[in-house]
Amino acid sequence: MATIDVLKSPTASPDDMSGLKLLSDHGYTAADLLAVIAKTEGNGCVNDFSRTLAAASWASVLPSDAVSVFSGGTEGVLAPHVCLVVSTSEATCPGAHAPGGALVAAVGRTGPVRHLDLGRARQATAVAEVVSELCLQLGLTSAEVHLVLVKCPLLTSDQVTECEFEGGEPVTRDTYSSMARSRAASALGVAMALGECSSAGAEAALRGELEVWSSVASVSSGAELEDCKVLVVGSSPSAEGPLRAAHTVMRDALDSDAVLALLRRVEAEGGEVVQVLAKAEADPSGSIRGRRHTMLTDSDLPSTRHARAAVGGLLAGLVGDSAIYVSGGAEHQGPPGGGPVTVLYRLGARRESDGDG
Amino acid sequence: MATIDVLKSPTASPDDMSGLKLLSDHGYTAADLLAVIAKTEGNGCVNDFSRTLAAASWASVLPSDAVSVFSGGTEGVLAPHVCLVVSTSEATCPGAHAPGGALVAAVGRTGPVRHLDLGRARQATAVAEVVSELCLQLGLTSAEVHLVLVKCPLLTSDQVTECEFEGGEPVTRDTYSSMARSRAASALGVAMALGECSSAGAEAALRGELEVWSSVASVSSGAELEDCKVLVVGSSPSAEGPLRAAHTVMRDALDSDAVLALLRRVEAEGGEVVQVLAKAEADPSGSIRGRRHTMLTDSDLPSTRHARAAVGGLLAGLVGDSAIYVSGGAEHQGPPGGGPVTVLYRLGARRESDGDG
Amino acid sequence: MATIDVLKSPTASPDDMSGLKLLSDHGYTAADLLAVIAKTEGNGCVNDFSRTLAAASWASVLPSDAVSVFSGGTEGVLAPHVCLVVSTSEATCPGAHAPGGALVAAVGRTGPVRHLDLGRARQATAVAEVVSELCLQLGLTSAEVHLVLVKCPLLTSDQVTECEFEGGEPVTRDTYSSMARSRAASALGVAMALGECSSAGAEAALRGELEVWSSVASVSSGAELEDCKVLVVGSSPSAEGPLRAAHTVMRDALDSDAVLALLRRVEAEGGEVVQVLAKAEADPSGSIRGRRHTMLTDSDLPSTRHARAAVGGLLAGLVGDSAIYVSGGAEHQGPPGGGPVTVLYRLGARRESDGDG
Amino acid sequence: MATIDVLKSPTASPDDMSGLKLLSDHGYTAADLLAVIAKTEGNGCVNDFSRTLAAASWASVLPSDAVSVFSGGTEGVLAPHVCLVVSTSEATCPGAHAPGGALVAAVGRTGPVRHLDLGRARQATAVAEVVSELCLQLGLTSAEVHLVLVKCPLLTSDQVTECEFEGGEPVTRDTYSSMARSRAASALGVAMALGECSSAGAEAALRGELEVWSSVASVSSGAELEDCKVLVVGSSPSAEGPLRAAHTVMRDALDSDAVLALLRRVEAEGGEVVQVLAKAEADPSGSIRGRRHTMLTDSDLPSTRHARAAVGGLLAGLVGDSAIYVSGGAEHQGPPGGGPVTVLYRLGARRESDGDG
């Protein structure tokens, strides 16, 4: 049974495992975990060891087929936290049981991404295959998918050198850029699987010749893994439970209208926001609504840190909660300069034993 | 006549003087300038030479009694720009002429702040005297003041060493901290002048024994000046013109409610936002609404940069404009973790020749 | 038996445990470890999770009474590596066995440092007691000590807030500054134990009224521990073995003369450098030999990062090895702007199975 | 007459013009200036406004045909300063007058570099032409050239967007990378002009297919100019005067041997070092002498800042002076990971009125 429950627990540090206590407070155990989705407090870039530390901490308690997505970077107001996705059933998941439409989820992973394949069509294809399989497994149509979260590798200096030693040419020699290239390929894989673009379109997009994007992909890259991990979340007509989701796309980093509209939909249903997951990026044109931004010319601060801080500040202010998932670098995830936003919400009353005290 | 007009011009770099063209497009000359208020694209900290460059560029065209406030740091979506405050009269200031309540402004400056006085009561007192004098000059009561903008000095390594060489003890040896201390003293000076705290209260606050704050002070420090420059903006019952102002205080960095309420007031009057001026800071408690933030433990990125990015992202999203003035470090400017927000707006139709194209 | 052997192993990441292989290649096991001294590739500041990751990785294999000193920051040419200090005996430690004068070492730790005691006399006293005890245990006079390595805690935002909540005043509210205050107290503790200053002198130094320093203390602070860990290394007249040490003090960051003289001494003895351990800092006066430096006014980059990069560049160039231990922030460790340098060297031929290939 | 004198003046800030006083102390005026070569205290990257500020400050006093090379970044111990190159003659240049071999210099500039040409063969060719012409003008053979200093433009976000709008593809979209591409093309231009590579070789090098480099090129890029400025310095057999130069190439960032040998040559001639000019870079392989470095995986700090700090620390320590010119990013300037080093020195006694007091 793929129905899920979602718990959110603030963390005092990347290796804070108090989320396990929250699990047990709700009658779950680590064995029920399908995924851990977290914001850790590193720079979110190549040398972000907060992700590695968190991953190492959770590795020992996660079921072997569960996935973890540790996204670094809690710039500005953003609060480090973990979001625990557990497999559940009607019996264990309390709250209002609206007939149908509850959240279901499934996870999978590609094989290891060869260094030479990173950021290229093979990576996109590998991700697409996993996404397709998971949708099939969940019985979801593309329209029923609200979020496809992917965690994928990057290239370190050693790996770049290794590629070249073997006579190959990596997609980029710049380690920070490799994060963007990996996100791009993964996002296009999601788009392919959901019918948002064709395989040829994805390849053209990778060559920079076409602008296509997924409206539900959310991809984060890191040095702490070698394959791509995938989490698909959707609303299943046949699943019962109080958890719901809605998503939209911010057309740029100022698009409060899209977010407010989304939040009004949730409110209209009597829903209470459990988690917000969003992607943000510096508009590649160098300006937003005709005004110059400086994220791409600031050599002191990577643009992904700028983008997380700004969009995180907007979203946290709008939902009144800073423990949300905002990830930087939205290549082919929403339109250029914008990004997808998914809200997970709960119908019915707030549960008392929430760990956020 | 102290009535003002306000023009806003995006800048391509700190030394971009195209604002002069905007002035002339509106029938003004540099001689009409009362103040230049700008966001430049440096780090907003001790070694921000974008401020110095902008100051040097404008110094040659500014009237001798005008002031400039160059605030560094356009993190996230924020757009570098200059906001030109010109003295005007009914004749030259177009638009709807509501009877009374139009914006008036005056500027002044303290004498040079001795290095040993920086961040201490003498600086506060000096600022208070200038603010009081300007209010008197404008005939404004405290309640009619919407904004007191102050630009004040900091301590460099050389100046710290100089203090010690002379046998004195500077308020801090840390150059970045000296910015905060200077802002604190200036803000308390504003609070004293406006009756928001007593002189004894300001001194207790400087010792860290009392939390008091001004709801209209907006202070920025920099290495490019030696005195404190002050701009007082208020609504005068006897002044006519289309420009108006309203202000509020964000109680924390997530306080979208306060901002939305303010914007609704402006909208209700048929006003069009000309400029937003806000202060932002990392909540000194280390958390916001019970959630930990990491701005004060991030050794890679000064907390003022974090705060500007986040609150700038929220405000820019809410007003739909990224060329706004958000300044970091809100010591005694609004409650801890929050900050004052002032909106300048224009009654009646938007002027065609706005420079923002 | 306190005689030691020292092995150095490069690391591919903070959690690289290939040093264990090096140990076994030399006939040792993790049970022989007295200390792990490492440079990890974080920022070396408050939010350096590379240290925590390394500490977590080694915690499971270290004997309970061994200590680890993970110092973050490999700016410039510095190479991440671990330096393994093992207890040995004549039988297991190969190479030339000069009669007497071989290296001995012992480790210990204080109890947890209360947040309010951090950076204050109590911390200094606690460290002094441990150092004295270890010297006694090793039978070393102060003159025979070549290095006292200390790892000590810092204050996070949460801990600062906790102090204040309990009505106490932490030594500083600035988390980055707390690192310096903790190092200062620890270094003064070392100085007290070795007779380099009196207890009253240490207290005066903590108040900033007196400049005293240790010529062998090397202190690093971090968020990954709550007590102070201490390693004392000295030359024992009664210990036999090929490992030796020599130390000097750089009077400023340009003092290549002191280092070259030290290296010539080692060379004159036919020694081969095994490891260099040095402290570095931005000269607190803001200048070096009358020339201004900018480490204390660069708000983008903490001064400790600057100092490690520069002094690391000098030392690595002089010894021709970038896998050396250079730690930033030398409060009371050598003269202001300078710092102690200790060289561990081996008499006789280089061992074949060195792990640095 | 192309004979030069060189004066060095520390600066208190990028706009410190006290060098003019030093000029007059030595009997020169600004009209005698051939070039100003300076280290300013910015980040040395895209958004380094310390360079622009310095350039603006000097622009008004420089003769129209003089050039300025403002190189940002005084990481670590490096001291901000200006180095003033003046045209002189036997009469005005005091000191020992060795027969022949004195320093001569000439300056020139290319036309504006089109955005699409930046980092490509056209830029290299344009630089080569200027260098060839200057050598001809000075009557220097390639072997007599000790230094070719080039300052060249970069691409900002606006310029990248402009290129694309016009249908062209810039050499890179990454603004920081554009600095490296511009330096590479300029350095290859120098190499072509001096016969260090062929035109075909330079093109292959630009495509990444060939590793060639100049042993005297020193190139710095910046946003503050649109053309390439060139300064050629050499020893002319027919020029008399006390100033001399020697150069070498560091094979990597640890190569103290090369530098010490160079300094010994200067000492053997009784020379006193006036200025050191060096290029530094992160070894593109990710390691130095088999040891990993982290300059290319540190997303918090650009690799050029790391490299300047480390090599600056080494050179300043070896010459005992921190007011030296070390510039980051040595593409085709010396071997990969290394860089050229030029020492300007004076035969005979030190002049009393040196400005460095």
Side-chain angles (χ1 to χ4, degrees):
Chain A
M1 180 56 167
T3 310
I4 57 169
D5 195 5
V6 174
L7 306 174
K8 200 163 69 175
S9 178
T11 49
S13 65
D15 52 354
D16 178 353
M17 300 294 287
S18 58
L20 292 176
K21 171 74 167 51
L22 183 66
L23 275 184
S24 70
D25 287 349
H26 285 80
Y28 300 117
T29 72
D32 298 316
L33 283 168
L34 199 60
V36 177
I37 307 168
K39 287 302 303 182
T40 63
E41 58 198 286
N43 61 18
C45 303
V46 179
N47 61 327
D48 183 345
F49 299 105
S50 71
R51 288 187 311 243
T52 317
L53 177 59
S57 303
W58 282 90
S60 61
V61 304
L62 278 183
S64 63
D65 54 354
V67 301
S68 61
V69 177
F70 294 103
S71 165
T74 55
E75 290 82 6
V77 298
L78 296 172
H81 68 277
V82 295
C83 185
L84 305 168
V85 181
V86 296
S87 291
T88 184
S89 63
E90 284 183 49
T92 60
C93 184
H97 288 221
L103 284 195
V104 294
V107 299
R109 56 182 71 183
T110 65
V113 178
R114 288 175 56 237
H115 303 329
L116 282 172
D117 291 343
L118 187 135
R120 291 181 167 139
R122 276 173 191 262
Q123 181 181 349
T125 305
V127 169
E129 283 169 5
V130 174
V131 175
S132 296
E133 187 186 303
L134 296 175
C135 288
L136 195 65
Q137 187 179 317
L138 292 167
L140 294 178
T141 64
S142 294
E144 290 162 349
V145 173
H146 289 296
L147 175 72
V148 180
L149 207 61
V150 182
K151 184 78 198 181
C152 54
L154 52 77
L155 293 179
T156 63
S157 287
D158 282 356
Q159 292 162 351
V160 167
T161 300
E162 202 177 306
C163 277
E164 293 177 335
F165 186 77
E166 291 169 1
E169 193 180 357
V171 71
T172 176
R173 293 180 54 87
D174 184 288
T175 59
Y176 179 62
S177 294
S178 76
M179 300 183 79
R181 304 301 281 267
S182 184
R183 286 189 300 260
S186 295
L188 289 166
V190 176
M192 281 162 65
L194 299 183
E196 295 174 302
C197 78
S198 66
S199 163
E203 289 191 26
L206 283 172
R207 286 192 306 269
E209 294 166 5
L210 187 65
E211 189 47 66
V212 293
W213 42 272
S214 168
S215 58
V216 293
S218 174
V219 184
S220 165
S221 45
E224 70 274 20
L225 77 172
E226 295 182 349
D227 54 0
C228 298
K229 296 172 180 170
V230 182
L231 167 71
V232 171
V233 177
S235 292
S236 171
S238 62
E240 297 187 357
L243 275 190
R244 294 291 188 273
H247 69 270
T248 189
V249 168
M250 292 173 73
R251 68 187 167 96
D252 60 28
L254 304 183
D255 194 1
S256 59
D257 290 344
V259 180
L260 286 167
L262 187 68
L263 293 174
R264 279 191 295 266
R265 280 168 51 195
V266 172
E267 196 177 27
E269 286 188 52
E272 181 170 324
V273 175
V274 171
Q275 178 65 316
V276 178
L277 301 103
K279 288 296 302 186
E281 73 177 356
D283 195 302
S285 73
S287 66
I288 308 173
R289 301 190 189 179
R291 306 279 200 186
R292 186 168 67 101
H293 68 75
T294 61
M295 299 188 249
L296 297 173
T297 54
D298 186 346
S299 305
D300 297 313
L301 191 55
S303 66
T304 42
R305 299 199 72 184
H306 276 287
R308 273 190 300 267
V311 175
L314 176 57
L315 292 173
L318 293 180
V319 299
D321 183 2
S322 54
I324 57 178
Y325 181 95
V326 181
S327 168
E331 302 80 4
H332 307 293
Q333 300 152 72
V341 181
T342 300
V343 173
L344 309 185
Y345 58 100
R346 187 181 306 278
L347 299 179
R350 188 182 180 79
R351 300 192 296 181
E352 300 144 32
S353 49
D354 194 335
D356 301 333
Chain B
M1 179 56 167
T3 311
I4 57 169
D5 195 5
V6 175
L7 305 174
K8 201 163 69 175
S9 177
T11 49
S13 64
D15 53 354
D16 179 355
M17 300 294 287
S18 58
L20 292 176
K21 170 75 167 50
L22 183 66
L23 275 184
S24 70
D25 288 349
H26 285 80
Y28 300 116
T29 72
D32 299 315
L33 282 168
L34 199 61
V36 178
I37 307 168
K39 286 303 303 180
T40 63
E41 57 197 286
N43 61 17
C45 303
V46 179
N47 60 328
D48 183 345
F49 299 106
S50 72
R51 287 188 312 243
T52 317
L53 178 58
S57 302
W58 283 89
S60 61
V61 304
L62 278 183
S64 64
D65 54 354
V67 302
S68 60
V69 177
F70 295 103
S71 164
T74 55
E75 291 81 6
V77 298
L78 295 173
H81 68 278
V82 295
C83 185
L84 305 168
V85 180
V86 295
S87 291
T88 184
S89 64
E90 285 182 49
T92 58
C93 185
H97 287 221
L103 284 195
V104 294
V107 300
R109 57 183 71 185
T110 64
V113 178
R114 288 175 56 237
H115 303 329
L116 282 172
D117 291 343
L118 188 135
R120 291 182 167 139
R122 276 174 192 262
Q123 182 180 347
T125 305
V127 169
E129 284 168 6
V130 174
V131 174
S132 296
E133 187 186 303
L134 295 176
C135 287
L136 195 64
Q137 188 179 316
L138 292 168
L140 293 178
T141 64
S142 294
E144 290 162 349
V145 174
H146 290 296
L147 175 71
V148 181
L149 206 61
V150 182
K151 184 79 198 180
C152 53
L154 53 77
L155 293 179
T156 63
S157 287
D158 282 355
Q159 292 162 351
V160 166
T161 301
E162 201 177 306
C163 277
E164 293 178 335
F165 186 77
E166 293 168 359
E169 195 182 355
V171 72
T172 176
R173 294 179 53 88
D174 184 289
T175 60
Y176 179 63
S177 295
S178 77
M179 302 183 78
R181 304 302 281 265
S182 184
R183 286 190 300 260
S186 295
L188 289 166
V190 176
M192 282 162 65
L194 300 182
E196 295 173 303
C197 78
S198 67
S199 162
E203 289 190 29
L206 283 172
R207 287 192 306 269
E209 294 166 5
L210 186 67
E211 188 48 65
V212 293
W213 42 271
S214 167
S215 58
V216 294
S218 174
V219 185
S220 165
S221 45
E224 70 276 20
L225 78 172
E226 295 182 348
D227 54 0
C228 297
K229 296 172 179 169
V230 182
L231 167 70
V232 172
V233 177
S235 292
S236 171
S238 62
E240 296 186 355
L243 275 190
R244 294 290 187 273
H247 70 270
T248 189
V249 168
M250 292 174 72
R251 68 186 166 97
D252 59 28
L254 304 183
D255 194 1
S256 59
D257 289 344
V259 180
L260 286 168
L262 187 69
L263 293 175
R264 278 191 295 266
R265 280 168 52 195
V266 172
E267 196 177 27
E269 287 189 50
E272 180 170 325
V273 175
V274 172
Q275 178 65 317
V276 177
L277 299 103
K279 288 296 302 186
E281 73 175 357
D283 196 301
S285 73
S287 66
I288 307 173
R289 301 190 189 179
R291 305 282 198 184
R292 186 167 68 102
H293 68 74
T294 60
M295 300 187 249
L296 296 173
T297 53
D298 186 346
S299 304
D300 297 313
L301 192 56
S303 65
T304 43
R305 300 199 72 185
H306 276 287
R308 273 191 299 269
V311 174
L314 175 58
L315 292 173
L318 293 180
V319 299
D321 184 3
S322 54
I324 57 178
Y325 180 94
V326 181
S327 168
E331 302 80 5
H332 307 293
Q333 300 152 72
V341 181
T342 300
V343 173
L344 309 184
Y345 58 99
R346 188 182 305 278
L347 298 179
R350 188 182 180 77
R351 299 192 298 182
E352 298 144 32
S353 49
D354 194 336
D356 304 333
Chain C
M1 181 55 170
T3 310
I4 58 168
D5 194 7
V6 174
L7 306 174
K8 202 162 71 175
S9 178
T11 48
S13 65
D15 52 354
D16 178 354
M17 299 295 285
S18 59
L20 292 176
K21 172 75 168 49
L22 182 65
L23 275 185
S24 70
D25 287 349
H26 285 79
Y28 301 116
T29 71
D32 298 314
L33 283 168
L34 200 59
V36 177
I37 308 168
K39 286 303 303 181
T40 62
E41 58 197 286
N43 61 17
C45 303
V46 179
N47 61 327
D48 183 345
F49 298 107
S50 72
R51 286 188 311 244
T52 317
L53 177 59
S57 302
W58 283 90
S60 61
V61 304
L62 278 183
S64 64
D65 53 356
V67 301
S68 59
V69 177
F70 295 103
S71 164
T74 55
E75 290 81 5
V77 298
L78 295 173
H81 69 278
V82 295
C83 184
L84 305 169
V85 180
V86 296
S87 293
T88 184
S89 62
E90 285 180 49
T92 58
C93 184
H97 286 222
L103 285 193
V104 295
V107 300
R109 57 182 70 186
T110 64
V113 178
R114 288 176 55 236
H115 303 328
L116 281 172
D117 291 343
L118 187 135
R120 290 179 169 143
R122 276 175 190 263
Q123 182 180 348
T125 305
V127 169
E129 284 168 5
V130 174
V131 174
S132 296
E133 187 186 303
L134 295 176
C135 287
L136 195 64
Q137 187 179 317
L138 292 167
L140 294 178
T141 64
S142 294
E144 291 163 347
V145 173
H146 289 296
L147 176 71
V148 180
L149 208 60
V150 181
K151 185 78 197 182
C152 54
L154 54 76
L155 293 179
T156 63
S157 287
D158 282 356
Q159 291 162 350
V160 166
T161 300
E162 202 177 305
C163 277
E164 294 177 334
F165 187 76
E166 291 168 0
E169 192 182 355
V171 71
T172 177
R173 293 180 55 87
D174 183 289
T175 60
Y176 179 62
S177 294
S178 77
M179 301 183 78
R181 303 303 282 264
S182 184
R183 287 190 298 260
S186 295
L188 288 166
V190 176
M192 282 163 64
L194 299 183
E196 296 173 303
C197 78
S198 66
S199 163
E203 289 190 28
L206 284 171
R207 288 192 306 270
E209 295 166 6
L210 186 66
E211 188 48 65
V212 292
W213 41 271
S214 168
S215 58
V216 294
S218 174
V219 185
S220 165
S221 45
E224 70 275 20
L225 77 173
E226 296 182 348
D227 54 0
C228 297
K229 295 173 180 170
V230 182
L231 167 71
V232 172
V233 177
S235 292
S236 172
S238 61
E240 296 185 358
L243 274 190
R244 294 289 185 278
H247 69 271
T248 189
V249 168
M250 291 174 73
R251 67 187 167 97
D252 60 27
L254 303 183
D255 195 1
S256 59
D257 289 344
V259 180
L260 286 169
L262 187 68
L263 293 175
R264 278 193 295 265
R265 279 168 54 193
V266 171
E267 197 178 26
E269 286 189 52
E272 182 169 323
V273 174
V274 171
Q275 178 65 317
V276 177
L277 301 104
K279 288 295 302 186
E281 73 176 356
D283 195 301
S285 73
S287 66
I288 307 174
R289 301 190 188 178
R291 306 280 199 184
R292 186 167 68 100
H293 69 74
T294 60
M295 299 187 249
L296 297 173
T297 52
D298 186 346
S299 305
D300 297 313
L301 191 55
S303 66
T304 43
R305 299 200 72 185
H306 276 287
R308 272 191 299 268
V311 175
L314 176 57
L315 292 173
L318 293 180
V319 300
D321 183 4
S322 55
I324 57 178
Y325 180 94
V326 181
S327 167
E331 302 79 7
H332 307 294
Q333 299 151 72
V341 180
T342 300
V343 173
L344 309 184
Y345 58 100
R346 186 181 305 277
L347 299 179
R350 188 182 180 78
R351 301 192 297 185
E352 299 144 32
S353 47
D354 195 337
D356 304 333
Chain D
M1 181 55 171
T3 310
I4 57 168
D5 194 6
V6 174
L7 305 174
K8 202 163 69 176
S9 178
T11 49
S13 65
D15 52 354
D16 178 354
M17 299 295 285
S18 58
L20 292 176
K21 171 75 169 50
L22 184 65
L23 275 184
S24 69
D25 287 349
H26 284 79
Y28 300 117
T29 71
D32 299 315
L33 283 168
L34 200 59
V36 177
I37 307 168
K39 286 302 304 181
T40 62
E41 57 198 284
N43 61 17
C45 302
V46 179
N47 61 327
D48 183 345
F49 298 106
S50 72
R51 285 187 314 242
T52 317
L53 177 59
S57 302
W58 283 90
S60 60
V61 303
L62 278 183
S64 64
D65 54 355
V67 301
S68 60
V69 177
F70 294 103
S71 164
T74 55
E75 291 81 5
V77 298
L78 295 173
H81 69 278
V82 295
C83 185
L84 305 169
V85 181
V86 295
S87 292
T88 183
S89 63
E90 286 180 47
T92 59
C93 184
H97 286 222
L103 284 194
V104 295
V107 299
R109 56 182 71 184
T110 65
V113 178
R114 289 175 56 235
H115 303 330
L116 281 172
D117 291 344
L118 188 135
R120 289 178 169 144
R122 276 173 190 262
Q123 182 181 349
T125 304
V127 169
E129 283 169 5
V130 173
V131 175
S132 296
E133 188 186 303
L134 295 176
C135 287
L136 195 63
Q137 186 179 319
L138 292 168
L140 294 177
T141 64
S142 294
E144 291 162 348
V145 173
H146 289 296
L147 176 71
V148 181
L149 207 60
V150 182
K151 184 77 198 182
C152 54
L154 54 75
L155 293 179
T156 62
S157 287
D158 282 355
Q159 292 163 350
V160 166
T161 300
E162 202 178 304
C163 276
E164 293 177 335
F165 186 76
E166 292 168 0
E169 192 183 354
V171 71
T172 176
R173 294 179 54 88
D174 183 289
T175 60
Y176 179 62
S177 295
S178 76
M179 301 183 79
R181 304 302 281 264
S182 184
R183 285 190 300 260
S186 295
L188 289 166
V190 176
M192 282 163 64
L194 299 183
E196 295 174 303
C197 78
S198 67
S199 162
E203 290 191 27
L206 283 172
R207 287 193 306 269
E209 293 166 6
L210 186 65
E211 187 48 64
V212 292
W213 42 272
S214 169
S215 57
V216 294
S218 174
V219 185
S220 165
S221 45
E224 70 275 20
L225 77 174
E226 294 182 348
D227 54 0
C228 298
K229 295 173 180 169
V230 182
L231 166 71
V232 172
V233 178
S235 292
S236 171
S238 61
E240 296 186 358
L243 275 190
R244 295 290 185 275
H247 70 269
T248 189
V249 168
M250 291 174 72
R251 67 186 167 98
D252 60 28
L254 303 183
D255 194 0
S256 58
D257 289 343
V259 180
L260 286 168
L262 187 68
L263 293 175
R264 279 191 295 264
R265 280 169 52 195
V266 171
E267 197 178 27
E269 286 188 51
E272 182 169 323
V273 175
V274 171
Q275 178 64 316
V276 177
L277 300 104
K279 288 296 302 186
E281 73 176 356
D283 195 302
S285 73
S287 65
I288 307 174
R289 302 191 188 178
R291 306 280 200 184
R292 185 166 69 101
H293 68 75
T294 60
M295 301 187 248
L296 297 172
T297 52
D298 186 345
S299 305
D300 297 313
L301 191 56
S303 65
T304 43
R305 299 200 72 185
H306 276 288
R308 272 191 300 268
V311 175
L314 176 57
L315 291 173
L318 293 179
V319 299
D321 183 2
S322 54
I324 57 177
Y325 180 94
V326 181
S327 168
E331 302 79 6
H332 306 294
Q333 300 151 73
V341 180
T342 300
V343 174
L344 309 185
Y345 59 99
R346 187 182 305 279
L347 299 179
R350 187 182 180 80
R351 300 192 298 182
E352 300 143 31
S353 48
D354 194 338
D356 305 332

